[in-house]
Amino acid sequence: MSQTTKNRQVLLIKRPEGLPTPGDFKFKDTEVQQPQEGQVVVKTLYLSVDPYMRGRMNDSKSYIPPYQLNEVIKGGAVGEIVESKSDKYKEGDKVIGMLGWQLFNTVDDSKVTKIDESIAPVSAYLSVLGLTGLTAYFGLLDIGQPKEGETVVVSGAAGSVGMFVGQIAKIKGARVVGIAGTDEKCDYLMKELNFDEAINYKTTDNIKQDLEKACPDGVDVYFDNVGGSISDAVMSLLNDHARIPLCGAISSYNSTDGDMGPRIHGQMIKTRSLLKGFVLSDYADRQSEGLQELGKWLSEGKLKYEETVVDGFDNVVEAFLQLFKGANLGKMLVKVSE
Amino acid sequence: MSQTTKNRQVLLIKRPEGLPTPGDFKFKDTEVQQPQEGQVVVKTLYLSVDPYMRGRMNDSKSYIPPYQLNEVIKGGAVGEIVESKSDKYKEGDKVIGMLGWQLFNTVDDSKVTKIDESIAPVSAYLSVLGLTGLTAYFGLLDIGQPKEGETVVVSGAAGSVGMFVGQIAKIKGARVVGIAGTDEKCDYLMKELNFDEAINYKTTDNIKQDLEKACPDGVDVYFDNVGGSISDAVMSLLNDHARIPLCGAISSYNSTDGDMGPRIHGQMIKTRSLLKGFVLSDYADRQSEGLQELGKWLSEGKLKYEETVVDGFDNVVEAFLQLFKGANLGKMLVKVSE
């Protein structure tokens, strides 16, 4: 730690409204904090900047707490130990952790994990062997569950998560269609990563038409990084029992009007909720189980039912129309005959 | 079949735009069709009118084919066999099936199922022991999976499915909050069906506030029959790992502008798709599995990665802002130090 005692930090000084501006942040020159017993000083090598950080800049409940005003912004980072008061690390060790946007982080040794440069360069631990690679891996394979020959669409396809999603889907034998925002990115996806199709959503006249052409057999898995109108278009092509890992909604992170396509995305991600469309026929082979339970509860007096009965066949149309006015309590029936 | 030979039918003569009107339908007087060998003539006792039928009136692909113009509308019905050319049925038998909106249906004996009046009145086979009871049963228990003490919110709560959902959730020990459109319905839910709370969405000034009060511990299961702005309000209160069986979206069935709150509902139901928010930390205990697979694919050359590296700590804010312009290919990193 002989090199320097000068530190430099980035603080969040204002909660952004809409798109963040440089004025929401402040650089602050300060001193490197001296390490206590069990602590290390980490010189920052790479900082990861990620869309999810925009969410933490709002003062709202989510899966991670919001950033505090006038404090150093935190995110994924790799660095080198330049001073150690820990048995676990020596100077020169390369480590990864959730660290501050500053030149030097002085932290407990439990806050960082050693990385092995012989497997991949240190920066890879912030991408393929880090949060983004793992996010693609679990989101796609655990929720999306692509099968050989199925069609996987990924939005934000040239982004840090999207490009792994597409590649892993190819490894699993799926047809892969990527959506990205420049021709260069689309070229990269098709030529370098062997995506089957890539659509530039910024230059297309009709993204739905392009998607239909790129997905002649519909969409089985939609790995969604963006939300908004792109997702609307993809969702119109879903096949039965499609799966949609909701990973991000970057199109709405800076939205102030709350209406950027599927509005529920943000809330679903925050809460890791599951939403599933269903129709009764999906359970055709379990019908007798259902009837048995319902009948039992009915006979035990645990279950009541109610009918709104409209009398006379000639009132069947009117009865149907009344449904949309909420005129029924319980099941709406038309009594035609005794 | 001595009683009559006069039949009366309801045909769909126009595809409704928005809310259906009586002019979209036509009554037609005709003769009862004579049964062939293996057929029965069923005199209609009760017809079921259901919101999902609105969807079949559109000419669009869904889980059941659309109604054809100038043909008899079909739906759930119970009736009595008045003439039988089948070994399976005799006159007087009560049956259920998907039958036409007409006074007499002449159908193959395989199209109907005998019902037992000693268990429940015939009309119950169109509600609690029929499609609506079963829909509530499987949707709530298989997708919603309410646990004792959890909070279940159901919209369209006084409707044919909703009232079973709430009651089954109570049987399973959940706190149940219903949303309905009249004070009478809300009274019924609380007094007769023992719902914990009921909210009249038509008279409330602030449904979100009412929901917050009714759900002090948030929402674990939202059984959604309606979609639209009611669902927006409920979704803002979801707890982590909430489950949302999407059963219906009646608020949008007659919509022509395509923007009635969560727009994706209709498509999700049609395709029985699954949408699940997730964050990487949900898979914390499987991280080593993920890293192993990613590392293997990387070393086998099956997985490529890409970084967009911005040089210099002082550019960290700008790099972050560039994310929202899509400036990155792959992972966006800030290189701070060698």
Side-chain angles (χ1 to χ4, degrees):
Chain A
M1 195 56 211
S2 47
Q3 302 100 315
T4 178
T5 58
K6 292 221 177 308
N7 196 8
R8 189 163 165 79
Q9 308 175 315
V10 179
L11 314 182
L12 181 72
I13 57 165
K14 249 180 64 194
R15 301 210 177 275
E17 285 172 35
L19 200 67
T21 65
D24 300 325
F25 306 89
K26 192 177 101 178
F27 281 85
K28 183 180 169 190
D29 289 307
T30 174
E31 302 290 297
V32 175
Q33 197 189 316
Q34 291 307 306
Q36 308 293 309
E37 209 50 49
Q39 288 193 320
V40 290
V41 178
V42 183
K43 177 179 155 191
T44 303
L45 298 177
Y46 286 92
L47 293 172
S48 176
V49 290
D50 297 276
Y52 80 85
M53 303 176 97
R54 174 63 184 85
R56 294 192 70 181
M57 292 173 186
N58 295 331
D59 189 17
S60 64
K61 191 188 149 201
S62 186
Y63 59 94
I64 32 174
Y67 294 126
Q68 296 304 306
L69 286 182
N70 302 311
E71 292 197 355
V72 179
I73 290 173
K74 269 192 185 167
V78 292
E80 182 179 343
I81 304 282
V82 290
E83 187 175 353
S84 176
K85 291 204 167 174
S86 153
D87 304 338
K88 290 165 66 183
Y89 298 102
K90 60 179 194 306
E91 279 184 38
D93 283 350
K94 303 287 167 59
V95 294
I96 183 168
M98 290 299 282
L99 300 172
W101 279 8
Q102 52 188 339
L103 295 179
F104 294 92
N105 280 275
T106 304
V107 294
D108 294 348
D109 59 10
S110 62
K111 297 286 184 194
V112 291
T113 307
K114 197 167 168 178
I115 57 183
D116 182 352
E117 278 184 286
S118 73
I119 295 175
V122 293
S123 62
Y125 288 86
L126 293 174
S127 62
V128 61
L129 296 179
L131 300 183
T132 58
L134 287 168
T135 298
Y137 179 85
F138 288 112
L140 179 68
L141 298 184
D142 198 73
I143 299 171
Q145 299 184 20
K147 290 172 205 57
E148 193 153 343
E150 286 193 331
T151 299
V152 174
V153 173
V154 52
S155 57
S160 58
V161 172
M163 69 167 56
F164 298 128
V165 169
Q167 291 183 84
I168 296 171
K170 289 298 295 178
I171 289 170
K172 296 294 177 181
R175 173 180 176 81
V176 174
V177 176
I179 304 172
T182 69
D183 286 343
E184 291 69 32
K185 288 178 179 178
C186 289
D187 279 353
Y188 173 80
L189 295 176
M190 294 189 62
K191 289 180 190 153
E192 297 295 320
L193 304 188
N194 298 311
F195 279 39
D196 296 282
E197 298 283 349
I199 296 169
N200 181 342
Y201 74 92
K202 283 191 180 159
T203 57
T204 179
D205 292 329
N206 188 331
I207 190 168
K208 203 178 145 186
Q209 223 163 60
D210 287 0
L211 276 164
E212 274 169 1
K213 233 168 82 179
C215 308
D217 300 322
V219 176
D220 301 294
V221 178
Y222 173 42
F223 194 103
D224 191 0
N225 287 307
V226 304
S229 54
I230 291 174
S231 293
D232 281 339
V234 179
M235 294 211 185
S236 71
L237 297 175
L238 295 182
N239 287 332
D240 281 4
H241 302 289
R243 289 82 63 196
I244 306 166
L246 269 195
C247 180
I250 193 170
S251 72
S252 68
Y253 289 174
N254 297 305
S255 167
T256 48
D257 71 1
D259 183 17
M260 297 279 296
R263 296 168 228 204
I264 59 174
H265 276 47
Q267 192 62 14
M268 298 283 301
I269 296 169
K270 278 187 195 172
T271 58
R272 290 93 96 196
S273 292
L274 178 145
L275 184 147
K276 188 173 185 330
F278 75 101
V279 297
L280 178 58
S281 54
D282 298 342
Y283 298 96
D285 58 346
R286 288 172 58 195
Q287 181 156 337
S288 59
E289 168 202 329
L291 285 175
Q292 205 161 18
E293 285 291 276
L294 292 169
K296 190 181 64 140
W297 292 330
L298 192 63
S299 68
E300 292 170 354
K302 289 182 179 166
L303 198 58
K304 295 180 185 178
Y305 68 102
E306 202 70 33
E307 294 163 350
T308 298
V309 177
V310 172
D311 209 25
F313 179 67
D314 286 3
N315 293 318
V316 61
V317 170
E318 183 55 27
F320 175 67
L321 300 183
Q322 286 293 327
L323 283 176
F324 299 102
K325 298 175 182 154
N328 55 309
L329 176 68
K331 186 77 195 77
M332 178 80 104
L333 298 176
V334 178
K335 185 175 176 183
V336 175
S337 182
E338 300 278 355
Chain B
M1 197 53 211
S2 46
Q3 303 101 315
T4 178
T5 58
K6 291 220 177 308
N7 196 9
R8 190 164 164 78
Q9 309 175 317
V10 180
L11 314 181
L12 181 72
I13 58 166
K14 249 180 64 192
R15 302 210 176 274
E17 285 173 35
L19 201 66
T21 64
D24 299 328
F25 306 90
K26 193 178 100 178
F27 282 86
K28 183 180 168 188
D29 289 307
T30 174
E31 301 290 299
V32 175
Q33 197 189 315
Q34 291 307 308
Q36 308 292 310
E37 210 49 52
Q39 288 193 320
V40 290
V41 179
V42 183
K43 177 179 152 191
T44 303
L45 298 178
Y46 286 92
L47 292 172
S48 177
V49 291
D50 298 275
Y52 79 85
M53 303 176 98
R54 175 63 183 86
R56 294 192 70 181
M57 292 173 187
N58 296 331
D59 189 17
S60 64
K61 192 187 148 200
S62 185
Y63 58 94
I64 32 175
Y67 294 126
Q68 295 304 305
L69 285 182
N70 303 310
E71 292 196 356
V72 179
I73 289 173
K74 271 191 184 166
V78 292
E80 181 180 343
I81 305 282
V82 291
E83 187 176 353
S84 176
K85 292 205 166 172
S86 153
D87 305 337
K88 290 165 67 183
Y89 297 102
K90 60 179 191 307
E91 279 183 39
D93 283 351
K94 303 288 168 58
V95 294
I96 183 169
M98 290 298 283
L99 300 172
W101 280 7
Q102 52 187 341
L103 296 179
F104 295 91
N105 280 277
T106 303
V107 294
D108 294 348
D109 60 10
S110 62
K111 296 287 184 193
V112 290
T113 306
K114 198 168 165 177
I115 57 182
D116 183 352
E117 277 184 285
S118 74
I119 294 174
V122 293
S123 62
Y125 288 87
L126 293 174
S127 62
V128 61
L129 297 179
L131 301 183
T132 57
L134 287 168
T135 298
Y137 179 86
F138 288 113
L140 179 68
L141 298 184
D142 199 73
I143 299 170
Q145 301 183 21
K147 290 172 205 59
E148 194 156 342
E150 285 193 331
T151 299
V152 174
V153 173
V154 52
S155 56
S160 58
V161 172
M163 69 167 57
F164 299 128
V165 169
Q167 292 184 83
I168 296 171
K170 288 299 294 180
I171 289 170
K172 296 293 179 184
R175 173 181 176 80
V176 174
V177 177
I179 304 173
T182 69
D183 286 343
E184 291 69 32
K185 288 178 179 178
C186 289
D187 280 353
Y188 172 82
L189 295 175
M190 293 188 62
K191 288 180 191 152
E192 297 295 319
L193 303 187
N194 299 312
F195 278 41
D196 296 282
E197 298 283 349
I199 295 169
N200 181 343
Y201 74 91
K202 282 190 180 160
T203 56
T204 179
D205 292 330
N206 188 331
I207 190 168
K208 205 179 144 185
Q209 224 162 59
D210 288 0
L211 277 165
E212 274 170 359
K213 234 168 82 181
C215 308
D217 300 322
V219 176
D220 301 295
V221 179
Y222 173 43
F223 193 104
D224 191 359
N225 287 306
V226 304
S229 54
I230 292 174
S231 293
D232 282 340
V234 180
M235 294 212 187
S236 71
L237 298 176
L238 295 182
N239 287 333
D240 281 4
H241 303 290
R243 289 82 64 197
I244 306 166
L246 268 195
C247 180
I250 194 170
S251 72
S252 67
Y253 288 174
N254 297 304
S255 166
T256 48
D257 71 0
D259 183 16
M260 297 278 296
R263 296 166 227 204
I264 59 173
H265 276 49
Q267 192 62 14
M268 298 284 300
I269 296 169
K270 277 187 196 173
T271 57
R272 291 94 95 195
S273 292
L274 179 144
L275 184 147
K276 188 173 184 330
F278 76 101
V279 297
L280 178 58
S281 54
D282 298 342
Y283 298 96
D285 58 345
R286 289 173 56 195
Q287 180 156 338
S288 59
E289 168 203 329
L291 285 175
Q292 206 161 18
E293 284 291 278
L294 291 168
K296 190 181 65 140
W297 292 329
L298 192 65
S299 68
E300 291 170 354
K302 290 182 178 167
L303 197 60
K304 295 179 186 179
Y305 69 102
E306 202 71 33
E307 295 163 349
T308 298
V309 177
V310 172
D311 209 26
F313 180 67
D314 287 2
N315 292 318
V316 61
V317 170
E318 184 54 27
F320 175 68
L321 300 182
Q322 287 294 325
L323 283 176
F324 300 101
K325 297 175 183 154
N328 55 310
L329 176 68
K331 186 76 196 77
M332 178 81 105
L333 297 175
V334 177
K335 184 173 175 184
V336 176
S337 181
E338 299 279 353

